[in-house]
Amino acid sequence: MADGKRGEDSAVALKTSPSSAVMAGGLRGVSNPLEEWSGRVKAIEAGFRAWMAKQPIQIEAAVTTAVGAVQGGALGGLMGSLTADGGSPFPIPQPPPNANPEAMASFKQAQALAGGPLVQARNFAVMTGANAGISCVMRRIRGKEDIQGSMAAAFGSGALFSIVSGMGTPNPVANAVTTGVAFAVFQGGFFMIGQKFSKPPSEDTYYSRTRSMLHKLGLEKYEKNFKRGLLNDQTLPLLTDSALRDVKIPPGPRLLILDQIKRDPELVQAK
């Protein structure tokens, strides 16, 4: 019995030991470095989007085009470096000597996708940069992302790709228009398919403008807070700091949301 009592006293002492308490507190205080890094990246991205939303359309389009071109150039350079000789794994046959100009233009454009790292980096930079820039301009002008803006961006990127990859061909304008139309048709088809499979549920239709605003500011994770508080498109004109605080939205995002509503009158107009 005495041994049992001493065992209980030891267990109590171990539980209440200062060193063990400090150790437990230290373990609880250890944070995940990956989560911290991810949070910082998201905060930087949200701040960048908020800054971009305040800029004139020219600056936003220029920055978006540059970022898209850099990303596309990096992707193209990587694809061109995947093979040992820097070329395509699917060789393009050479055209016959007596090929007509249209056939030569097609061969040149096909070879543009089979070039080395520098050639593919250039072509992808042109395509992705033009697509991103035109999409940005169309979104700012039309106030939404739709199939018309998507097809216009695809047409521009296709036409510029044709001009860059087919320089020296007899009919560069005709080739650019043909390539642009092909790009636009494919992009329009993909956009319609994507819309069909990603159509939001009917109960979410009252959150379309709210969702668009939050995504534009990089605050899409707070959409559930809006739904929890029944804050939808109809309540956007009535939003206040206290209402956002009641649905557990932090001060920084609250300021961004209220500022966006103040600067964008179309956001609070009934549609």
Side-chain angles (χ1 to χ4, degrees):
M1 183 173 180
D3 292 341
K5 185 175 182 181
R6 282 197 299 269
E8 292 177 0
D9 293 341
S10 300
V12 172
L14 179 60
K15 290 181 181 179
T16 58
S17 172
S19 59
S20 62
V22 171
M23 182 181 299
L27 291 175
R28 287 194 299 268
V30 174
S31 57
N32 189 339
L34 184 59
E35 290 182 358
E36 289 186 359
W37 181 82
S38 177
R40 291 177 182 176
V41 171
K42 289 182 178 179
I44 293 174
E45 182 180 359
F48 178 73
R49 289 183 180 180
W51 176 82
M52 287 282 287
K54 298 178 181 179
Q55 305 306 311
I57 186 173
Q58 306 94 308
I59 296 179
E60 184 180 6
V63 174
T64 303
T65 301
V67 172
V70 170
Q71 293 176 342
L75 177 62
L78 178 62
M79 292 180 62
S81 303
L82 292 180
T83 55
D85 59 352
S88 171
F90 307 101
I92 303 298
Q94 295 297 322
N98 57 347
N100 58 48
E102 289 76 12
M104 288 295 298
S106 299
F107 272 108
K108 281 183 174 292
Q109 292 181 5
Q111 289 173 343
L113 293 176
L118 293 180
V119 173
Q120 293 205 35
R122 178 199 66 188
N123 295 336
F124 274 82
V126 169
M127 285 192 293
T128 56
N131 192 289
I134 298 174
S135 296
C136 172
V137 173
M138 294 297 293
R139 185 170 59 250
R140 286 287 292 265
I141 293 176
R142 299 178 63 82
K144 59 182 179 179
E145 292 186 8
D146 54 12
I147 188 171
Q148 289 86 351
S150 180
M151 292 182 69
F155 178 86
S157 62
L160 287 176
F161 165 74
S162 176
I163 293 173
V164 171
S165 62
M167 288 185 296
T169 55
N171 299 312
V173 175
N175 293 330
V177 172
T178 302
T179 306
V181 169
F183 273 54
V185 170
F186 279 111
Q187 182 67 21
F190 286 130
F191 188 92
M192 293 178 66
I193 294 173
Q195 273 195 328
K196 182 178 180 180
F197 286 99
S198 63
K199 188 176 181 180
S202 56
E203 63 268 16
D204 285 354
T205 55
Y206 295 106
Y207 292 93
S208 59
R209 282 179 286 149
T210 301
R211 185 185 304 110
S212 176
M213 175 192 66
L214 293 175
H215 277 261
K216 185 176 183 180
L217 296 174
L219 304 175
E220 55 271 14
K221 67 178 181 179
Y222 295 113
E223 183 178 345
K224 61 181 182 296
N225 300 65
F226 273 75
K227 291 183 177 180
R228 190 182 303 121
L230 301 180
L231 301 176
N232 53 30
D233 295 347
Q234 296 178 348
T235 63
L236 282 179
L238 308 175
L239 275 185
T240 61
D241 184 79
S242 60
L244 295 174
R245 190 189 311 116
D246 289 341
V247 294
K248 309 301 182 184
I249 296 180
R254 293 203 305 264
L255 292 174
L256 293 176
I257 292 170
L258 294 174
D259 179 68
Q260 181 67 21
I261 293 174
K262 185 187 302 181
R263 291 187 301 102
D264 192 353
E266 295 183 359
L267 189 63
V268 297
Q269 291 176 357
K271 293 184 180 181

